[in-house]
Amino acid sequence: MRFMVPPVKSSRFTLLPIVALILSGAAGLIYQSVWGRMLHLVFGVGDQAIATVLASFFLGLSLGSFLGGKLARRIASPAAAYALLEVFIASWAILSIFLIPQIHGVYAAFSEGVGVGGLTAIRLALSLIILLPPTIAMGATLPVLMRSETPEGIPWPALANRLYLANTLGAVLGAGLSGFYLLPIFGSRVSL
């Protein structure tokens, strides 16, 4: 039996989804770099602290991708939903400037006299509180946007590949921009 690709809505294709995903990918890696740096100030820069922040980030992305794929079929206006996701992510980024320093006191209060396993659990819980909301939204952006624009004659898997490529290109640009320019020159708050 041959695998059948689900039909998708046809419309006039524009470069807007490609540009949006390049910018979204760049912003996502800038957020990851800045949030990682800010949380390292709270948790320290040990291997376990870094791994906890990355695990929280990737858990949110994967949950968001799963949920976004499920919800994208039910959304009346995927382009509007995508825009709302991006506004939420940017708003959370601004809010995180104030949230992350507050968790330092919580981490210090709960981590006194706790072993390595307990510290890892506390770091994970605090990282999830800060990182899950925006990273779930980040993970949902690609599946939601894929439902908004579909060019004539391009199979659904090929469209997914192109949009994912655009998002990945943006992520590479964001990683370079944050690591070599934004963070060294402007610091975390301005970069965010």
Side-chain angles (χ1 to χ4, degrees), residues 39-73:
L39 286 168
H40 293 162
L41 293 175
V42 174
F43 301 143
V45 291
D47 292 344
Q48 291 174 343
I50 293 167
T52 303
V53 170
L54 288 175
S56 299
F57 201 89
F58 286 118
L59 175 63
L61 289 176
S62 61
L63 284 173
S65 180
F66 174 76
L67 295 172
K70 296 281 186 194
L71 295 174
R73 295 178 188 103

Side-chain angles (χ1 to χ4, degrees), residues 168-182:
T168 303
L169 175 62
V172 170
L173 294 172
L177 189 62
S178 65
F180 294 115
Y181 182 70
L182 292 174

Side-chain angles (χ1 to χ4, degrees), residues 2-181:
R2 193 170 167 198
F3 177 73
M4 299 299 291
V5 177
V8 288
K9 181 181 79 174
S10 293
S11 64
R12 188 175 67 80
F13 184 69
T14 64
L15 287 179
L16 189 58
I18 300 290
V19 172
L21 283 172
I22 290 172
L23 295 174
S24 178
L29 260 290
I30 292 169
Y31 295 148
Q32 181 182 355
S33 299
V34 172
W35 287 332
R37 189 178 208 189
M38 291 174 79
L39 286 168
H40 293 162
L41 293 175
V42 174
F43 301 143
V45 291
D47 292 344
Q48 291 174 343
I50 293 167
T52 303
V53 170
L54 288 175
S56 299
F57 201 89
F58 286 118
L59 175 63
L61 289 176
S62 61
L63 284 173
S65 180
F66 174 76
L67 295 172
K70 296 281 186 194
L71 295 174
R73 295 178 188 103
R74 298 183 200 139
I75 297 171
S77 176
Y82 172 80
L84 288 174
L85 286 168
E86 291 293 354
V87 167
F88 172 78
I89 296 164
S91 300
W92 191 272
I94 293 168
L95 181 63
S96 72
I97 292 171
F98 307 102
L99 287 176
I100 291 175
Q102 299 304 316
I103 66 166
H104 190 285
V106 174
Y107 179 65
F110 284 102
S111 63
E112 188 173 329
V114 176
V116 173
L119 283 176
T120 301
I122 293 167
R123 285 185 203 119
L124 182 60
L126 292 173
S127 292
L128 290 174
I129 289 168
I130 296 296
L131 297 178
L132 267 186
T135 56
I136 287 173
M138 285 179 198
T141 57
L142 182 61
V144 167
L145 188 61
M146 281 185 55
R147 291 309 227 188
S148 68
E149 290 276 344
T150 304
E152 293 281 347
I154 296 181
W156 194 66
L159 176 65
N161 290 342
R162 289 177 188 182
L163 293 176
Y164 190 77
L165 174 65
N167 197 240
T168 303
L169 175 62
V172 170
L173 294 172
L177 189 62
S178 65
F180 294 115
Y181 182 70

